[in-house]
Amino acid sequence: MRHQRLVFLVDGRNNILHPTRKLDMVRRWLRQTNAKVIRFIGKIMVVQVFKILSQQKDDPTYWIGVDPGDTIGICLVRITANNRVKRLLSMEFHTRSKEIKQLLETRRMYRCTRRYFRRKRVKKKGRIPKHRPARFENRRRSDGWLTPSVRHFLESHKSVIRKIAECVPDVNISLEYAKFDIQKMMNPDIEGEQYQRGKLFGYQNIRAYVLHRDKYTCQLCAKKNVPFQLHHVVPRSQNGKDHPDNLITLCPECHVKVHTDTKLLKKLQRKIKSKIADFTSTSRLNIIMSFLKHWLENEFGKDRVWFCIGADSYVIRKELNLDKTHCNDAYCIAINKLVRFDTDLEHESVVDKQVIRFEQKRQHNRRMKSLERNRLYYVVKDKKRVRVATNRNGNPDAFHEVYDTKILPLLKQGYRLKVNPGVKGYRKKFSEVGFKEGATIRIGNRVDVLKGTSGFGYTYDGTIFKLKDMDVVYPYGGWKCVKV
């Protein structure tokens, strides 16, 4: 049996109606102009219906199960009056919170470089550069302040939940309220006072602990009784931490060798990196949980929000014999409240073979918007064309540098100067309609998701088409549909 795609419905006054899988009926409304498509969520249509629809005999309830994390699992479940459960929609959203810190570091680097050269130019002109002393008294963080990466992580969860909830009537939200004990994850036997006595307890600093752990021996050549140095296995430039697990003891000769020999560095990273536990995502999740809980209760009401723990979804998943995936966890989270109160449920479709996957991509990339192709200068004579310069000051053949030496002699020989103007790499007309990766497009009678363009357009299933045959029906909005 062919899988029927879900369609969300709203009426003429934008009141939310029950979603449907009756695609033939929806297509007939669209042909008869009794409905129109107002937006897409990936390939899922949100259709506005202008005719009056009959009420359903039984009024089902809808639950959205949310499995939080770097990959957010979402499952929409419909539960009828006779406790029949049907999985309507399964989605995975891959966030980009890991990129935020790297982008901030890049911005900081450019800003420092720009200010350095600005001061240098001012000094060159014989003036005194501006110097503003540091001001700390007026820099107070407001209540509820979060770091940029954590704030982005929280807003991504809100965006995903809001995206689905605004298409379903009287929806209920079930969230796995995850609070992780990171020290327990590192050491399952920890208890009592051991929480206050970490790895460094009794040592003067990290260096003393690492040297004692490595028995004052170089970890490559086994030398002893030399002035040891500590080496970061994952470099600081790649967001490596100063955690003891990321530090090893090396002698000065081996330390130089590791930084110059790429093969030796990779070998050492493979040997040590597997022992390094990264709890960055876990820490972010611990921070946002209270904020997310408070937002859900204010947005949907306390009577429409339910919270469970990971052990609850684990028990349900084992009873239903489901694999460990984000969508399956979200399904178990969605039905958790009914199972908790010993409700006998009849599962109509436990396994959803069609999982829609989204990736979060950067939308406002100023570097792409300011991208410009160089202005090119040619000299032409008798259908012979030679490029002689460009307009970029950083290029060795910039126009003002080669005009007297290279261009002027050719002009005296009868050549004509021709200029090809610079072209914006990011075209305005395309940005207005959302002509970029992730946009929902129509090719003939088929709706698909644009993967990219290079002369031709192509989709995620490998379809190649001419750009003139494509029509953008819904622009890219931050979440890019990568698999349906």
Side-chain angles (χ1 to χ4, degrees):
M1 181 179 177
R2 187 180 174 184
H3 186 90
Q4 293 290 319
R5 191 171 293 143
L6 190 70
V7 178
F8 292 118
L9 301 176
V10 297
D11 64 10
R13 295 182 179 179
N14 287 325
N15 296 319
I16 304 172
L17 305 176
H18 294 284
T20 182
R21 290 188 185 273
K22 298 178 180 178
L23 293 183
D24 293 337
M25 178 183 68
V26 175
R27 292 192 188 103
R28 185 170 66 251
W29 290 344
L30 293 172
R31 284 196 301 267
Q32 297 172 356
T33 66
N34 290 327
K36 70 174 182 179
V37 180
I38 55 176
R39 66 176 180 274
F40 280 83
I41 303 174
K43 290 186 182 180
I44 302 174
M45 294 187 294
V46 182
V47 176
Q48 187 173 29
V49 184
F50 302 119
K51 60 187 295 183
I52 300 175
L53 302 179
S54 59
Q55 296 286 336
Q56 291 196 11
K57 294 181 180 178
D58 56 337
D59 198 14
T61 57
Y62 296 94
W63 281 86
I64 295 177
V66 183
D67 181 30
D70 279 342
T71 299
I72 307 170
I74 296 289
C75 185
L76 176 62
V77 172
R78 182 178 65 197
I79 303 173
T80 59
N82 55 356
N83 293 331
R84 294 185 65 183
V85 182
K86 185 167 184 178
R87 185 191 294 212
L88 297 180
L89 185 64
S90 298
M91 308 175 87
E92 288 182 359
F93 293 84
H94 300 268
T95 64
R96 54 179 285 267
S97 299
K98 294 180 180 179
E99 302 174 16
I100 303 301
K101 183 179 179 182
Q102 185 178 356
L103 290 172
L104 290 174
E105 291 288 339
T106 304
R107 186 182 70 176
R108 177 175 173 270
M109 178 192 68
Y110 282 126
R111 184 173 60 237
C112 291
T113 306
R114 184 173 64 247
R115 289 174 178 173
Y116 167 77
F117 282 105
R118 185 186 299 158
R119 288 192 295 268
K120 195 173 180 180
R121 286 195 300 269
V122 171
K123 287 181 180 179
K124 192 175 181 180
K125 293 178 181 179
R127 298 200 297 265
I128 300 175
K130 287 183 180 180
H131 175 71
R132 190 198 62 157
R135 293 177 287 185
F136 297 101
E137 297 297 331
N138 60 348
R139 295 182 180 179
R140 291 190 62 189
R141 291 172 177 171
S142 59
D143 295 336
W145 180 87
L146 296 172
T147 60
S149 58
V150 175
R151 171 66 62 185
H152 183 275
F153 194 52
L154 174 61
E155 294 299 328
S156 298
H157 281 75
K158 291 181 183 180
S159 171
V160 168
I161 296 171
R162 199 184 288 117
K163 183 186 287 286
I164 307 301
E166 65 185 9
C167 300
V168 184
D170 300 328
V171 68
N172 302 279
I173 308 294
S174 182
L175 174 73
E176 184 179 273
Y177 193 85
K179 280 282 191 177
F180 297 97
D181 186 347
I182 295 177
Q183 293 199 53
K184 194 78 172 177
M185 294 169 69
M186 296 172 64
N187 179 17
D189 299 328
I190 193 171
E191 59 182 12
E193 293 182 353
Q194 294 177 358
Y195 277 97
Q196 283 76 40
R197 299 181 177 184
K199 287 184 176 181
L200 303 183
F201 181 77
Y203 294 94
Q204 186 177 3
N205 50 33
I206 295 178
R207 177 182 174 83
Y209 168 76
V210 175
L211 291 175
H212 182 268
R213 183 197 64 189
D214 294 340
K215 300 178 181 178
Y216 294 90
T217 305
C218 176
Q219 298 302 294
L220 286 181
C221 65
K223 280 185 182 178
K224 295 185 177 182
N225 300 324
V226 294
F228 292 110
Q229 298 175 355
L230 300 187
H231 171 70
H232 289 82
V233 178
V234 180
R236 292 294 305 276
S237 59
Q238 300 176 13
N239 294 327
K241 306 292 188 297
D242 286 330
H243 196 274
D245 291 341
N246 193 39
L247 296 169
I248 60 169
T249 305
L250 296 177
C251 66
E253 293 80 7
C254 292
H255 200 185
V256 173
K257 192 186 298 183
V258 164
H259 281 283
T260 54
D261 190 344
T262 309
K263 291 183 179 179
L264 182 61
L265 177 62
K266 290 182 178 179
K267 181 181 178 181
L268 185 64
Q269 287 180 347
R270 283 196 300 268
K271 180 181 178 181
I272 306 295
K273 204 170 181 179
S274 59
K275 302 178 183 178
I276 302 174
D278 185 12
F279 296 106
T280 307
S281 301
T282 310
S283 301
R284 276 201 299 261
L285 203 57
N286 281 347
I287 295 170
I288 71 163
M289 270 300 140
S290 57
F291 292 92
L292 188 59
K293 178 181 178 182
H294 181 69
W295 175 79
L296 285 172
E297 290 175 345
N298 289 340
E299 186 80 7
F300 300 98
K302 292 185 178 181
D303 56 334
R304 290 191 174 274
V305 179
W306 175 261
F307 301 100
C308 64
I309 59 175
D312 298 335
S313 58
Y314 172 80
V315 172
I316 299 173
R317 193 176 68 247
K318 288 299 181 182
E319 288 179 357
L320 298 177
N321 196 22
L322 295 174
D323 296 331
K324 172 66 175 172
T325 64
H326 295 287
C327 291
N328 287 341
D329 280 348
Y331 177 74
C332 298
I333 294 166
I335 63 175
N336 179 267
K337 184 176 182 179
L338 297 174
V339 173
R340 175 70 67 86
F341 292 104
D342 298 326
T343 306
D344 293 329
L345 299 177
E346 181 183 347
H347 299 274
E348 197 170 311
S349 55
V350 177
V351 180
D352 195 346
K353 296 180 180 180
Q354 188 180 46
V355 177
I356 304 175
R357 291 182 173 86
F358 288 82
E359 283 184 5
Q360 196 175 26
K361 294 294 182 180
R362 189 177 181 185
Q363 189 172 10
H364 302 291
N365 193 337
R366 287 179 293 176
R367 186 179 66 177
M368 290 299 296
K369 290 190 176 183
S370 61
L371 184 66
E372 185 175 341
R373 196 182 306 158
N374 286 344
R375 184 187 302 133
L376 303 178
Y377 296 87
Y378 296 91
V379 287
V380 182
K381 183 179 181 181
D382 300 333
K383 297 183 179 181
K384 182 181 178 182
R385 190 175 75 163
V386 181
R387 194 177 83 179
V388 290
T390 63
N391 71 323
R392 295 288 181 178
N393 291 331
N395 290 330
D397 58 345
F399 179 78
H400 68 279
E401 293 181 0
V402 300
Y403 180 78
D404 293 332
T405 59
K406 194 173 180 180
I407 299 176
L408 194 58
L410 292 173
L411 296 179
K412 291 179 180 178
Q413 296 176 18
Y415 283 85
R416 292 180 295 105
L417 183 64
K418 185 177 179 182
V419 182
N420 281 10
V423 180
K424 285 281 188 183
Y426 189 91
R427 302 185 188 180
K428 187 176 180 182
K429 64 176 183 178
F430 289 162
S431 66
E432 289 173 353
V433 299
F435 187 87
K436 49 187 172 180
E437 184 182 5
T440 304
I441 59 175
R442 180 179 287 113
I443 312 166
N445 295 325
R446 186 165 62 90
V447 174
D448 217 316
V449 178
L450 181 68
K451 183 177 182 181
T453 58
S454 57
F456 290 85
Y458 50 96
T459 62
Y460 282 92
D461 59 0
T463 305
I464 300 175
F465 56 90
K466 294 180 180 179
L467 296 181
K468 65 179 183 180
D469 299 334
M470 183 198 71
D471 181 27
V472 177
V473 293
Y474 193 67
Y476 161 65
W479 290 103
K480 182 185 72 174
C481 181
V482 295
K483 185 177 180 181
V484 179

